[in-house]
Amino acid sequence: VRTGGERVRITAQLIDAESVHHVWAEKFDRKLEDIFELQDEITERIVATISPELERAEQKRSAAKAPTSLTAWDCYQRGLWHLYRFTTEEIETAKSLFERAIALDPSFAQAYARLAYVHIQLGWYGPKEDRAERLKDATSLAGQAIELDGRNPAARLSLGRALTLSGPAESSVEELRVAVALDPSFAQAHFALGLALCCLERHDETLRE
């Protein structure tokens, strides 16, 4: 942190301690008008910026490991990579990885949350006649994730998305607002909330999300 007159320059770096690999860096130049507002702004900005960088770094690390040495965390990270390829085959691969993560660590709330999202994706992209059962599974898994960790935004996201597709939409908005409150930088939760609001024809709120 460097100050000069009424200005401050803050430089932040993220380095992988094991490999000493430089993951991310950014410089912030601001006026020192309100130090507390400035602190909040920079905190939010850093969290929003490094979250995807950390995710990419973790997925790369997990991908380099042999399948026989994967931990629950490694399976979870590999599952995330496959989940967002958006084909049925890739989503099925993600499903098996999240299930393996849960088998290795039955208290892993995040894995339950993402397995719930897998069922939402399979319900959306898969056969229409399977949709109701998929959404039922998604709701159950999201509920388990919330029981394990009620402050997990991914769990609230999955439950909210399942409710958007199966109804009632009003309940989905409540869950998704909780997800956004827990993590204001969670872009996927903002998208899901916008979609739920659109279903209720609350278009001004939809556009904001």
Side-chain angles (χ1 to χ4, degrees), residues 77-86 90-91 93-94 97:
Q77 290 295 335
R78 284 193 178 194
L80 282 180
W81 189 89
H82 288 284
L83 177 59
Y84 296 110
R85 305 277 77 76
F86 295 108
E90 294 282 9
I91 294 169
T93 300
L97 285 161

Side-chain angles (χ1 to χ4, degrees), residues 14 23 49-59 77:
L14 178 66
V23 178
T49 304
I50 70 171
S51 181
E53 296 293 341
L54 280 172
E55 200 167 88
R56 278 190 284 271
E58 285 296 303
Q59 289 174 13
Q77 290 295 335

Side-chain angles (χ1 to χ4, degrees), residues 20-168:
V20 200
H21 174 65
H22 197 142
V23 178
W24 169 86
E26 191 158 337
K27 182 172 65 181
F28 303 89
D29 287 310
R30 296 289 188 278
K31 288 184 179 180
L32 272 174
E33 294 172 342
D34 185 334
I35 189 64
F36 299 112
E37 186 177 321
L38 174 65
Q39 186 178 19
D40 289 344
E41 178 194 343
I42 290 177
T43 301
E44 281 190 23
R45 179 83 176 275
I46 289 175
V47 170
T49 304
I50 70 171
S51 181
E53 296 293 341
L54 280 172
E55 200 167 88
R56 278 190 284 271
E58 285 296 303
Q59 289 174 13
K60 188 175 180 181
R61 189 202 309 272
S62 297
K65 288 191 176 183
T68 53
S69 65
L70 294 179
T71 64
W73 179 250
D74 293 324
C75 291
Y76 170 73
Q77 290 295 335
R78 284 193 178 194
L80 282 180
W81 189 89
H82 288 284
L83 177 59
Y84 296 110
R85 305 277 77 76
F86 295 108
T87 69
T88 302
E89 183 180 354
E90 294 282 9
I91 294 169
E92 288 285 1
T93 300
K95 179 175 179 289
S96 65
L97 285 161
F98 292 140
E99 288 172 341
R100 185 175 171 189
I102 290 168
L104 289 166
D105 182 359
S107 65
F108 195 173
Q110 193 85 337
Y112 283 95
R114 293 304 186 174
L115 182 57
Y117 206 84
V118 160
H119 283 280
I120 291 166
Q121 295 289 72
L122 290 173
W124 188 254
Y125 292 110
K128 191 172 182 180
E129 58 270 20
D130 295 345
R131 186 170 295 175
E133 191 63 30
R134 291 292 191 186
L135 293 175
K136 182 180 175 182
D137 290 340
T139 302
S140 173
L141 287 161
Q144 288 178 266
I146 290 169
E147 282 183 25
L148 289 166
D149 182 3
R151 294 187 59 79
N152 187 304
R156 300 289 180 170
L157 165 71
S158 292
L159 182 54
R161 287 287 285 129
L163 290 172
T164 299
L165 295 171
S166 61

Side-chain angles (χ1 to χ4, degrees), residues 7-18:
R7 298 192 66 83
V8 61
R9 171 172 291 176
I10 300 174
T11 303
Q13 292 181 324
L14 178 66
I15 295 171
D16 185 324
E18 289 184 356

